[in-house]
Amino acid sequence: MCTFTCTEIQKTGLGRSRRITITMDGHVAFYVGRRVQMFIKSVQTQSTSDVVLCTIFVVFLSVVLEGLKSCRVVISAENSRCRRPNSTMNHLFLTLCHTLQVGLADTIMLVLMTYNVWLFLGALFGAGLGYYLYGWISTTNKPVDKTQSLQTQSDETQSNPRVMARETTV
């Protein structure tokens, strides 16, 4: 663990000055250990079981983050496929999903900044598990109704004179 100290002298006016010292304790490389200081200085793990519980929590956060990403993609795709304007409730729901996604992503980033190997591996495993669980939802295409597809093609043919000219010459 390294300690960084920065001392600065500031002039406050009327010939007075004050000394400001900022001290930061932290790791500058990945480490394997049981003592992890989480977001707040008073929250520290003391045993191996504490680190395991924190790692499981990070896995859970990463899975939820992937679920929120997939949820936003699916809802946005549905809105664009239906060619309808976004309703206020839809937009509020997407805004809430986006806000939660940014908050979770920043929380996971802060966890990774502890440089603990186990928490890092937990975040990676959670991201992979989340993609495995939710990724297929956002990447699959729903089957297209054949009659709707044929109707769309005939509408394009009638409105495009080049397509009509090609069909007559064939």
Side-chain angles (χ1 to χ4, degrees), residues 128-144:
L129 180 64
Y131 185 78
Y132 178 76
L133 294 175
Y134 299 110
W136 64 273
I137 295 172
S138 61
T139 57
T140 58
N141 294 326
K142 292 185 178 180
V144 178

Side-chain angles (χ1 to χ4, degrees), residues 151-161 163:
Q151 180 65 32
T152 306
Q153 287 176 357
S154 66
D155 289 345
E156 290 174 0
T157 304
Q158 290 175 358
S159 63
N160 191 347
V163 173

Side-chain angles (χ1 to χ4, degrees), residues 38-39 51-62 107 111:
M38 295 306 275
F39 313 112
V51 174
V52 169
L53 286 174
C54 285
T55 304
I56 291 170
F57 183 67
V58 169
V59 168
F60 173 74
L61 287 179
S62 297
T107 303
V111 168

Side-chain angles (χ1 to χ4, degrees), residues 74-86 90 142 148:
V74 167
I75 291 173
S76 297
E78 279 294 319
N79 286 343
S80 65
R81 186 181 356 221
C82 294
R83 294 182 184 171
R84 64 177 176 197
N86 284 341
N90 246 356
K142 292 185 178 180
Q148 182 183 4

